[in-house]
Structures are given as structure tokens and as C-alpha cells.
PDB file of all heavy atoms in Angstrom:
ATOM      1  N   ALA A   1       2.537 -12.168  -0.608  1.00 94.00           N
ATOM      2  CA  ALA A   1       2.073 -12.432  -1.971  1.00 94.00           C
ATOM      3  C   ALA A   1       3.167 -12.098  -2.983  1.00 94.00           C
ATOM      4  O   ALA A   1       3.383 -12.841  -3.936  1.00 94.00           O
ATOM      5  CB  ALA A   1       0.810 -11.594  -2.250  1.00 94.00           C
ATOM      6  N   TYR A   2       3.859 -11.035  -2.756  1.00 95.00           N
ATOM      7  CA  TYR A   2       4.972 -10.688  -3.674  1.00 95.00           C
ATOM      8  C   TYR A   2       6.194 -11.526  -3.372  1.00 95.00           C
ATOM      9  O   TYR A   2       6.898 -11.976  -4.286  1.00 95.00           O
ATOM     10  CB  TYR A   2       5.321  -9.207  -3.520  1.00 95.00           C
ATOM     11  CG  TYR A   2       4.444  -8.310  -4.385  1.00 95.00           C
ATOM     12  CD1 TYR A   2       3.248  -7.808  -3.902  1.00 95.00           C
ATOM     13  CD2 TYR A   2       4.834  -7.997  -5.678  1.00 95.00           C
ATOM     14  CE1 TYR A   2       2.453  -6.990  -4.699  1.00 95.00           C
ATOM     15  CE2 TYR A   2       4.040  -7.199  -6.500  1.00 95.00           C
ATOM     16  CZ  TYR A   2       2.851  -6.692  -6.003  1.00 95.00           C
ATOM     17  OH  TYR A   2       2.064  -5.906  -6.810  1.00 95.00           O
ATOM     18  N   GLY A   3       6.498 -11.750  -2.086  1.00 94.00           N
ATOM     19  CA  GLY A   3       7.676 -12.530  -1.723  1.00 94.00           C
ATOM     20  C   GLY A   3       7.607 -13.970  -2.159  1.00 94.00           C
ATOM     21  O   GLY A   3       8.649 -14.600  -2.373  1.00 94.00           O
ATOM     22  N   SER A   4       6.409 -14.507  -2.332  1.00 93.00           N
ATOM     23  CA  SER A   4       6.284 -15.894  -2.776  1.00 93.00           C
ATOM     24  C   SER A   4       6.615 -16.068  -4.249  1.00 93.00           C
ATOM     25  O   SER A   4       6.859 -17.173  -4.721  1.00 93.00           O
ATOM     26  CB  SER A   4       4.867 -16.399  -2.510  1.00 93.00           C
ATOM     27  OG  SER A   4       3.922 -15.657  -3.287  1.00 93.00           O
ATOM     28  N   GLN A   5       6.649 -14.938  -4.973  1.00 93.00           N
ATOM     29  CA  GLN A   5       6.950 -14.987  -6.421  1.00 93.00           C
ATOM     30  C   GLN A   5       8.298 -14.322  -6.733  1.00 93.00           C
ATOM     31  O   GLN A   5       8.517 -13.917  -7.878  1.00 93.00           O
ATOM     32  CB  GLN A   5       5.816 -14.298  -7.192  1.00 93.00           C
ATOM     33  CG  GLN A   5       4.465 -14.940  -7.001  1.00 93.00           C
ATOM     34  CD  GLN A   5       4.462 -16.376  -7.478  1.00 93.00           C
ATOM     35  OE1 GLN A   5       5.039 -16.727  -8.513  1.00 93.00           O
ATOM     36  NE2 GLN A   5       3.773 -17.243  -6.699  1.00 93.00           N
ATOM     37  N   GLY A   6       9.135 -14.206  -5.758  1.00 92.00           N
ATOM     38  CA  GLY A   6      10.480 -13.683  -5.999  1.00 92.00           C
ATOM     39  C   GLY A   6      10.648 -12.199  -5.774  1.00 92.00           C
ATOM     40  O   GLY A   6      11.771 -11.694  -5.809  1.00 92.00           O
ATOM     41  N   TYR A   7       9.565 -11.480  -5.510  1.00 93.00           N
ATOM     42  CA  TYR A   7       9.671 -10.018  -5.274  1.00 93.00           C
ATOM     43  C   TYR A   7       9.843  -9.757  -3.777  1.00 93.00           C
ATOM     44  O   TYR A   7       9.013  -9.137  -3.131  1.00 93.00           O
ATOM     45  CB  TYR A   7       8.425  -9.318  -5.806  1.00 93.00           C
ATOM     46  CG  TYR A   7       8.227  -9.456  -7.294  1.00 93.00           C
ATOM     47  CD1 TYR A   7       7.471 -10.516  -7.809  1.00 93.00           C
ATOM     48  CD2 TYR A   7       8.791  -8.553  -8.193  1.00 93.00           C
ATOM     49  CE1 TYR A   7       7.285 -10.666  -9.190  1.00 93.00           C
ATOM     50  CE2 TYR A   7       8.632  -8.712  -9.564  1.00 93.00           C
ATOM     51  CZ  TYR A   7       7.876  -9.770 -10.047  1.00 93.00           C
ATOM     52  OH  TYR A   7       7.690  -9.916 -11.411  1.00 93.00           O
ATOM     53  N   ILE A   8      10.968 -10.253  -3.247  1.00 92.00           N
ATOM     54  CA  ILE A   8      11.156 -10.222  -1.807  1.00 92.00           C
ATOM     55  C   ILE A   8      11.512  -8.837  -1.277  1.00 92.00           C
ATOM     56  O   ILE A   8      11.459  -8.597  -0.062  1.00 92.00           O
ATOM     57  CB  ILE A   8      12.233 -11.240  -1.375  1.00 92.00           C
ATOM     58  CG1 ILE A   8      13.553 -10.912  -2.079  1.00 92.00           C
ATOM     59  CG2 ILE A   8      11.792 -12.639  -1.677  1.00 92.00           C
ATOM     60  CD1 ILE A   8      14.701 -11.761  -1.571  1.00 92.00           C
ATOM     61  N   PHE A   9      11.910  -7.923  -2.149  1.00 92.00           N
ATOM     62  CA  PHE A   9      12.263  -6.577  -1.707  1.00 92.00           C
ATOM     63  C   PHE A   9      11.177  -5.566  -2.116  1.00 92.00           C
ATOM     64  O   PHE A   9      11.452  -4.371  -2.172  1.00 92.00           O
ATOM     65  CB  PHE A   9      13.612  -6.159  -2.282  1.00 92.00           C
ATOM     66  CG  PHE A   9      14.746  -7.026  -1.815  1.00 92.00           C
ATOM     67  CD1 PHE A   9      15.461  -7.796  -2.711  1.00 92.00           C
ATOM     68  CD2 PHE A   9      15.085  -7.124  -0.473  1.00 92.00           C
ATOM     69  CE1 PHE A   9      16.500  -8.614  -2.285  1.00 92.00           C
ATOM     70  CE2 PHE A   9      16.098  -7.933  -0.038  1.00 92.00           C
ATOM     71  CZ  PHE A   9      16.822  -8.673  -0.942  1.00 92.00           C
ATOM     72  N   ALA A  10       9.983  -6.038  -2.391  1.00 93.00           N
ATOM     73  CA  ALA A  10       8.873  -5.130  -2.706  1.00 93.00           C
ATOM     74  C   ALA A  10       8.574  -4.255  -1.495  1.00 93.00           C
ATOM     75  O   ALA A  10       8.520  -4.733  -0.347  1.00 93.00           O
ATOM     76  CB  ALA A  10       7.637  -5.933  -3.106  1.00 93.00           C
ATOM     77  N   ASP A  11       8.425  -2.962  -1.734  1.00 95.00           N
ATOM     78  CA  ASP A  11       8.171  -2.004  -0.671  1.00 95.00           C
ATOM     79  C   ASP A  11       6.655  -1.715  -0.635  1.00 95.00           C
ATOM     80  O   ASP A  11       6.103  -1.181  -1.608  1.00 95.00           O
ATOM     81  CB  ASP A  11       8.962  -0.723  -0.915  1.00 95.00           C
ATOM     82  CG  ASP A  11       8.816   0.274   0.235  1.00 95.00           C
ATOM     83  OD1 ASP A  11       8.419  -0.149   1.335  1.00 95.00           O
ATOM     84  OD2 ASP A  11       9.079   1.477   0.021  1.00 95.00           O
ATOM     85  N   ILE A  12       6.016  -2.053   0.475  1.00 95.00           N
ATOM     86  CA  ILE A  12       4.581  -1.884   0.614  1.00 95.00           C
ATOM     87  C   ILE A  12       4.309  -1.016   1.842  1.00 95.00           C
ATOM     88  O   ILE A  12       4.716  -1.351   2.962  1.00 95.00           O
ATOM     89  CB  ILE A  12       3.889  -3.243   0.752  1.00 95.00           C
ATOM     90  CG1 ILE A  12       4.181  -4.106  -0.481  1.00 95.00           C
ATOM     91  CG2 ILE A  12       2.372  -3.069   0.941  1.00 95.00           C
ATOM     92  CD1 ILE A  12       3.684  -5.515  -0.386  1.00 95.00           C
ATOM     93  N   GLN A  13       3.657   0.114   1.631  1.00 95.00           N
ATOM     94  CA  GLN A  13       3.389   1.069   2.697  1.00 95.00           C
ATOM     95  C   GLN A  13       1.883   1.335   2.768  1.00 95.00           C
ATOM     96  O   GLN A  13       1.233   1.553   1.739  1.00 95.00           O
ATOM     97  CB  GLN A  13       4.127   2.389   2.459  1.00 95.00           C
ATOM     98  CG  GLN A  13       5.647   2.264   2.379  1.00 95.00           C
ATOM     99  CD  GLN A  13       6.263   1.868   3.695  1.00 95.00           C
ATOM    100  OE1 GLN A  13       5.690   2.152   4.771  1.00 95.00           O
ATOM    101  NE2 GLN A  13       7.416   1.202   3.657  1.00 95.00           N
ATOM    102  N   ALA A  14       1.351   1.298   4.013  1.00 95.00           N
ATOM    103  CA  ALA A  14      -0.057   1.623   4.223  1.00 95.00           C
ATOM    104  C   ALA A  14      -0.193   3.120   4.469  1.00 95.00           C
ATOM    105  O   ALA A  14       0.599   3.721   5.199  1.00 95.00           O
ATOM    106  CB  ALA A  14      -0.608   0.848   5.433  1.00 95.00           C
ATOM    107  N   ASP A  15      -1.197   3.723   3.847  1.00 95.00           N
ATOM    108  CA  ASP A  15      -1.394   5.174   3.917  1.00 95.00           C
ATOM    109  C   ASP A  15      -2.850   5.479   4.245  1.00 95.00           C
ATOM    110  O   ASP A  15      -3.699   5.563   3.370  1.00 95.00           O
ATOM    111  CB  ASP A  15      -0.998   5.803   2.568  1.00 95.00           C
ATOM    112  CG  ASP A  15      -1.140   7.327   2.588  1.00 95.00           C
ATOM    113  OD1 ASP A  15      -1.223   7.890   3.695  1.00 95.00           O
ATOM    114  OD2 ASP A  15      -1.156   7.939   1.500  1.00 95.00           O
ATOM    115  N   PRO A  16      -3.199   5.620   5.550  1.00 94.00           N
ATOM    116  CA  PRO A  16      -4.563   6.052   5.917  1.00 94.00           C
ATOM    117  C   PRO A  16      -4.738   7.541   5.597  1.00 94.00           C
ATOM    118  O   PRO A  16      -3.947   8.363   6.069  1.00 94.00           O
ATOM    119  CB  PRO A  16      -4.625   5.774   7.420  1.00 94.00           C
ATOM    120  CG  PRO A  16      -3.428   4.943   7.752  1.00 94.00           C
ATOM    121  CD  PRO A  16      -2.381   5.310   6.734  1.00 94.00           C
ATOM    122  N   ARG A  17      -5.735   7.876   4.849  1.00 94.00           N
ATOM    123  CA  ARG A  17      -6.010   9.253   4.473  1.00 94.00           C
ATOM    124  C   ARG A  17      -7.356   9.689   5.046  1.00 94.00           C
ATOM    125  O   ARG A  17      -8.394   9.100   4.757  1.00 94.00           O
ATOM    126  CB  ARG A  17      -6.026   9.383   2.951  1.00 94.00           C
ATOM    127  CG  ARG A  17      -4.673   9.059   2.303  1.00 94.00           C
ATOM    128  CD  ARG A  17      -4.696   9.257   0.815  1.00 94.00           C
ATOM    129  NE  ARG A  17      -3.401   8.915   0.215  1.00 94.00           N
ATOM    130  CZ  ARG A  17      -3.118   9.004  -1.084  1.00 94.00           C
ATOM    131  NH1 ARG A  17      -4.080   9.443  -1.921  1.00 94.00           N
ATOM    132  NH2 ARG A  17      -1.929   8.672  -1.534  1.00 94.00           N
ATOM    133  N   PHE A  18      -7.312  10.742   5.863  1.00 92.00           N
ATOM    134  CA  PHE A  18      -8.511  11.209   6.533  1.00 92.00           C
ATOM    135  C   PHE A  18      -9.332  12.073   5.590  1.00 92.00           C
ATOM    136  O   PHE A  18      -8.789  12.875   4.801  1.00 92.00           O
ATOM    137  CB  PHE A  18      -8.136  12.006   7.786  1.00 92.00           C
ATOM    138  CG  PHE A  18      -7.372  11.179   8.788  1.00 92.00           C
ATOM    139  CD1 PHE A  18      -5.975  11.231   8.821  1.00 92.00           C
ATOM    140  CD2 PHE A  18      -8.027  10.386   9.694  1.00 92.00           C
ATOM    141  CE1 PHE A  18      -5.280  10.450   9.740  1.00 92.00           C
ATOM    142  CE2 PHE A  18      -7.345   9.623  10.617  1.00 92.00           C
ATOM    143  CZ  PHE A  18      -5.951   9.668  10.641  1.00 92.00           C
ATOM    144  N   LEU A  19     -10.634  11.924   5.680  1.00 89.00           N
ATOM    145  CA  LEU A  19     -11.553  12.630   4.798  1.00 89.00           C
ATOM    146  C   LEU A  19     -12.173  13.827   5.510  1.00 89.00           C
ATOM    147  O   LEU A  19     -12.020  13.994   6.724  1.00 89.00           O
ATOM    148  CB  LEU A  19     -12.658  11.677   4.338  1.00 89.00           C
ATOM    149  CG  LEU A  19     -12.157  10.374   3.683  1.00 89.00           C
ATOM    150  CD1 LEU A  19     -13.348   9.468   3.363  1.00 89.00           C
ATOM    151  CD2 LEU A  19     -11.368  10.673   2.426  1.00 89.00           C
ATOM    152  N   GLU A  20     -12.826  14.652   4.698  1.00 85.00           N
ATOM    153  CA  GLU A  20     -13.500  15.803   5.287  1.00 85.00           C
ATOM    154  C   GLU A  20     -14.684  15.369   6.177  1.00 85.00           C
ATOM    155  O   GLU A  20     -15.013  16.024   7.160  1.00 85.00           O
ATOM    156  CB  GLU A  20     -13.983  16.747   4.183  1.00 85.00           C
ATOM    157  CG  GLU A  20     -12.840  17.411   3.411  1.00 85.00           C
ATOM    158  CD  GLU A  20     -13.363  18.363   2.357  1.00 85.00           C
ATOM    159  OE1 GLU A  20     -14.609  18.472   2.255  1.00 85.00           O
ATOM    160  OE2 GLU A  20     -12.536  18.983   1.662  1.00 85.00           O
ATOM    161  N   GLU A  21     -15.318  14.279   5.798  1.00 84.00           N
ATOM    162  CA  GLU A  21     -16.397  13.765   6.634  1.00 84.00           C
ATOM    163  C   GLU A  21     -15.836  13.286   7.965  1.00 84.00           C
ATOM    164  O   GLU A  21     -14.863  12.528   8.003  1.00 84.00           O
ATOM    165  CB  GLU A  21     -17.099  12.602   5.934  1.00 84.00           C
ATOM    166  CG  GLU A  21     -17.812  12.974   4.656  1.00 84.00           C
ATOM    167  CD  GLU A  21     -16.868  12.964   3.456  1.00 84.00           C
ATOM    168  OE1 GLU A  21     -15.653  12.801   3.685  1.00 84.00           O
ATOM    169  OE2 GLU A  21     -17.344  13.096   2.318  1.00 84.00           O
ATOM    170  N   PRO A  22     -16.364  13.683   9.069  1.00 85.00           N
ATOM    171  CA  PRO A  22     -15.830  13.283  10.384  1.00 85.00           C
ATOM    172  C   PRO A  22     -15.958  11.788  10.602  1.00 85.00           C
ATOM    173  O   PRO A  22     -16.970  11.171  10.276  1.00 85.00           O
ATOM    174  CB  PRO A  22     -16.682  14.075  11.385  1.00 85.00           C
ATOM    175  CG  PRO A  22     -17.952  14.392  10.650  1.00 85.00           C
ATOM    176  CD  PRO A  22     -17.567  14.552   9.214  1.00 85.00           C
ATOM    177  N   GLY A  23     -14.901  11.201  11.097  1.00 91.00           N
ATOM    178  CA  GLY A  23     -14.939   9.799  11.463  1.00 91.00           C
ATOM    179  C   GLY A  23     -14.745   8.839  10.303  1.00 91.00           C
ATOM    180  O   GLY A  23     -15.033   7.637  10.450  1.00 91.00           O
ATOM    181  N   GLN A  24     -14.250   9.294   9.142  1.00 94.00           N
ATOM    182  CA  GLN A  24     -14.059   8.405   7.994  1.00 94.00           C
ATOM    183  C   GLN A  24     -12.665   8.597   7.416  1.00 94.00           C
ATOM    184  O   GLN A  24     -12.071   9.692   7.503  1.00 94.00           O
ATOM    185  CB  GLN A  24     -15.099   8.666   6.913  1.00 94.00           C
ATOM    186  CG  GLN A  24     -16.513   8.275   7.280  1.00 94.00           C
ATOM    187  CD  GLN A  24     -17.455   8.316   6.118  1.00 94.00           C
ATOM    188  OE1 GLN A  24     -17.037   8.512   4.969  1.00 94.00           O
ATOM    189  NE2 GLN A  24     -18.746   8.099   6.362  1.00 94.00           N
ATOM    190  N   LEU A  25     -12.154   7.519   6.822  1.00 95.00           N
ATOM    191  CA  LEU A  25     -10.842   7.576   6.182  1.00 95.00           C
ATOM    192  C   LEU A  25     -10.796   6.569   5.033  1.00 95.00           C
ATOM    193  O   LEU A  25     -11.560   5.585   5.000  1.00 95.00           O
ATOM    194  CB  LEU A  25      -9.705   7.310   7.172  1.00 95.00           C
ATOM    195  CG  LEU A  25      -9.660   5.987   7.937  1.00 95.00           C
ATOM    196  CD1 LEU A  25      -9.007   4.877   7.137  1.00 95.00           C
ATOM    197  CD2 LEU A  25      -8.931   6.152   9.254  1.00 95.00           C
ATOM    198  N   ASP A  26      -9.890   6.810   4.110  1.00 96.00           N
ATOM    199  CA  ASP A  26      -9.589   5.879   3.023  1.00 96.00           C
ATOM    200  C   ASP A  26      -8.232   5.229   3.315  1.00 96.00           C
ATOM    201  O   ASP A  26      -7.291   5.922   3.713  1.00 96.00           O
ATOM    202  CB  ASP A  26      -9.548   6.577   1.678  1.00 96.00           C
ATOM    203  CG  ASP A  26     -10.938   6.933   1.167  1.00 96.00           C
ATOM    204  OD1 ASP A  26     -11.916   6.359   1.674  1.00 96.00           O
ATOM    205  OD2 ASP A  26     -11.031   7.842   0.281  1.00 96.00           O
ATOM    206  N   LEU A  27      -8.154   3.935   3.093  1.00 96.00           N
ATOM    207  CA  LEU A  27      -6.907   3.209   3.323  1.00 96.00           C
ATOM    208  C   LEU A  27      -6.293   2.785   1.992  1.00 96.00           C
ATOM    209  O   LEU A  27      -6.947   2.085   1.220  1.00 96.00           O
ATOM    210  CB  LEU A  27      -7.186   1.981   4.193  1.00 96.00           C
ATOM    211  CG  LEU A  27      -5.970   1.147   4.600  1.00 96.00           C
ATOM    212  CD1 LEU A  27      -4.926   1.991   5.306  1.00 96.00           C
ATOM    213  CD2 LEU A  27      -6.378  -0.032   5.475  1.00 96.00           C
ATOM    214  N   ILE A  28      -5.074   3.258   1.728  1.00 96.00           N
ATOM    215  CA  ILE A  28      -4.412   2.983   0.470  1.00 96.00           C
ATOM    216  C   ILE A  28      -3.111   2.228   0.741  1.00 96.00           C
ATOM    217  O   ILE A  28      -2.320   2.651   1.612  1.00 96.00           O
ATOM    218  CB  ILE A  28      -4.125   4.294  -0.308  1.00 96.00           C
ATOM    219  CG1 ILE A  28      -5.448   5.016  -0.609  1.00 96.00           C
ATOM    220  CG2 ILE A  28      -3.364   4.028  -1.603  1.00 96.00           C
ATOM    221  CD1 ILE A  28      -5.264   6.381  -1.220  1.00 96.00           C
ATOM    222  N   TYR A  29      -2.864   1.164   0.011  1.00 97.00           N
ATOM    223  CA  TYR A  29      -1.611   0.420   0.108  1.00 97.00           C
ATOM    224  C   TYR A  29      -0.777   0.752  -1.148  1.00 97.00           C
ATOM    225  O   TYR A  29      -1.147   0.383  -2.268  1.00 97.00           O
ATOM    226  CB  TYR A  29      -1.876  -1.088   0.161  1.00 97.00           C
ATOM    227  CG  TYR A  29      -2.613  -1.519   1.413  1.00 97.00           C
ATOM    228  CD1 TYR A  29      -3.974  -1.766   1.379  1.00 97.00           C
ATOM    229  CD2 TYR A  29      -1.935  -1.658   2.604  1.00 97.00           C
ATOM    230  CE1 TYR A  29      -4.645  -2.161   2.506  1.00 97.00           C
ATOM    231  CE2 TYR A  29      -2.610  -2.041   3.765  1.00 97.00           C
ATOM    232  CZ  TYR A  29      -3.976  -2.269   3.708  1.00 97.00           C
ATOM    233  OH  TYR A  29      -4.647  -2.656   4.840  1.00 97.00           O
ATOM    234  N   ASN A  30       0.289   1.492  -0.941  1.00 97.00           N
ATOM    235  CA  ASN A  30       1.202   1.870  -2.034  1.00 97.00           C
ATOM    236  C   ASN A  30       2.280   0.789  -2.197  1.00 97.00           C
ATOM    237  O   ASN A  30       2.951   0.437  -1.215  1.00 97.00           O
ATOM    238  CB  ASN A  30       1.869   3.219  -1.739  1.00 97.00           C
ATOM    239  CG  ASN A  30       0.850   4.355  -1.747  1.00 97.00           C
ATOM    240  OD1 ASN A  30       0.082   4.483  -2.694  1.00 97.00           O
ATOM    241  ND2 ASN A  30       0.858   5.158  -0.684  1.00 97.00           N
ATOM    242  N   ILE A  31       2.430   0.303  -3.408  1.00 96.00           N
ATOM    243  CA  ILE A  31       3.343  -0.826  -3.685  1.00 96.00           C
ATOM    244  C   ILE A  31       4.415  -0.396  -4.682  1.00 96.00           C
ATOM    245  O   ILE A  31       4.078   0.122  -5.760  1.00 96.00           O
ATOM    246  CB  ILE A  31       2.577  -2.047  -4.228  1.00 96.00           C
ATOM    247  CG1 ILE A  31       1.501  -2.475  -3.222  1.00 96.00           C
ATOM    248  CG2 ILE A  31       3.525  -3.190  -4.536  1.00 96.00           C
ATOM    249  CD1 ILE A  31       0.632  -3.618  -3.709  1.00 96.00           C
ATOM    250  N   ALA A  32       5.653  -0.583  -4.315  1.00 95.00           N
ATOM    251  CA  ALA A  32       6.795  -0.488  -5.240  1.00 95.00           C
ATOM    252  C   ALA A  32       7.329  -1.885  -5.453  1.00 95.00           C
ATOM    253  O   ALA A  32       7.998  -2.428  -4.553  1.00 95.00           O
ATOM    254  CB  ALA A  32       7.864   0.452  -4.705  1.00 95.00           C
ATOM    255  N   GLU A  33       7.004  -2.517  -6.559  1.00 92.00           N
ATOM    256  CA  GLU A  33       7.249  -3.949  -6.729  1.00 92.00           C
ATOM    257  C   GLU A  33       8.729  -4.317  -6.780  1.00 92.00           C
ATOM    258  O   GLU A  33       9.149  -5.323  -6.233  1.00 92.00           O
ATOM    259  CB  GLU A  33       6.538  -4.445  -7.987  1.00 92.00           C
ATOM    260  CG  GLU A  33       5.014  -4.335  -7.886  1.00 92.00           C
ATOM    261  CD  GLU A  33       4.325  -4.767  -9.153  1.00 92.00           C
ATOM    262  OE1 GLU A  33       4.962  -4.639 -10.236  1.00 92.00           O
ATOM    263  OE2 GLU A  33       3.191  -5.240  -9.084  1.00 92.00           O
ATOM    264  N   GLY A  34       9.517  -3.537  -7.488  1.00 90.00           N
ATOM    265  CA  GLY A  34      10.934  -3.885  -7.643  1.00 90.00           C
ATOM    266  C   GLY A  34      11.116  -5.035  -8.629  1.00 90.00           C
ATOM    267  O   GLY A  34      10.248  -5.300  -9.469  1.00 90.00           O
ATOM    268  N   ASP A  35      12.239  -5.726  -8.496  1.00 91.00           N
ATOM    269  CA  ASP A  35      12.598  -6.798  -9.438  1.00 91.00           C
ATOM    270  C   ASP A  35      12.293  -8.175  -8.843  1.00 91.00           C
ATOM    271  O   ASP A  35      12.214  -8.333  -7.614  1.00 91.00           O
ATOM    272  CB  ASP A  35      14.071  -6.731  -9.813  1.00 91.00           C
ATOM    273  CG  ASP A  35      14.394  -5.461 -10.581  1.00 91.00           C
ATOM    274  OD1 ASP A  35      13.523  -4.958 -11.308  1.00 91.00           O
ATOM    275  OD2 ASP A  35      15.500  -4.956 -10.426  1.00 91.00           O
ATOM    276  N   GLN A  36      12.173  -9.136  -9.739  1.00 92.00           N
ATOM    277  CA  GLN A  36      12.012 -10.524  -9.307  1.00 92.00           C
ATOM    278  C   GLN A  36      13.395 -11.139  -9.107  1.00 92.00           C
ATOM    279  O   GLN A  36      14.316 -10.907  -9.871  1.00 92.00           O
ATOM    280  CB  GLN A  36      11.235 -11.312 -10.351  1.00 92.00           C
ATOM    281  CG  GLN A  36      10.850 -12.724  -9.893  1.00 92.00           C
ATOM    282  CD  GLN A  36      10.119 -13.490 -10.990  1.00 92.00           C
ATOM    283  OE1 GLN A  36      10.598 -13.539 -12.105  1.00 92.00           O
ATOM    284  NE2 GLN A  36       8.991 -14.092 -10.639  1.00 92.00           N
TER     285      GLN A  36
END
């Protein structure tokens, strides 16, 4: 999605975060867009 608009060096990292509740997690995608 970013590379199609010129942001080919955008840094995208997935970050699964475990919760206190057993068997559950939150999934966060951290994006550093960079330049076009």
C-alpha cells in the first residue's frame, strides 16, 4: 500500500502484545512512513 505510492522504504513492523488475560493478545502494526 505504501510502496504503490512511492513510499518504498516505509518500515512496517508487527508487534504482538500479550495481555494479562490468558490466551489473548493485541496486534499492533508500527509504521515509519519515510519519504515519497
Side-chain angles (χ1 to χ4, degrees):
Y2 274 90
S4 64
Q5 299 300 319
Y7 297 91
I8 59 173
F9 298 117
D11 185 19
I12 301 173
Q13 300 293 333
D15 182 17
R17 298 183 181 180
F18 299 95
L19 305 176
E20 294 182 358
E21 295 85 351
Q24 291 190 7
L25 59 84
D26 286 341
L27 183 56
I28 300 174
Y29 296 100
N30 293 309
I31 301 176
E33 295 178 332
D35 295 329
Q36 188 183 49

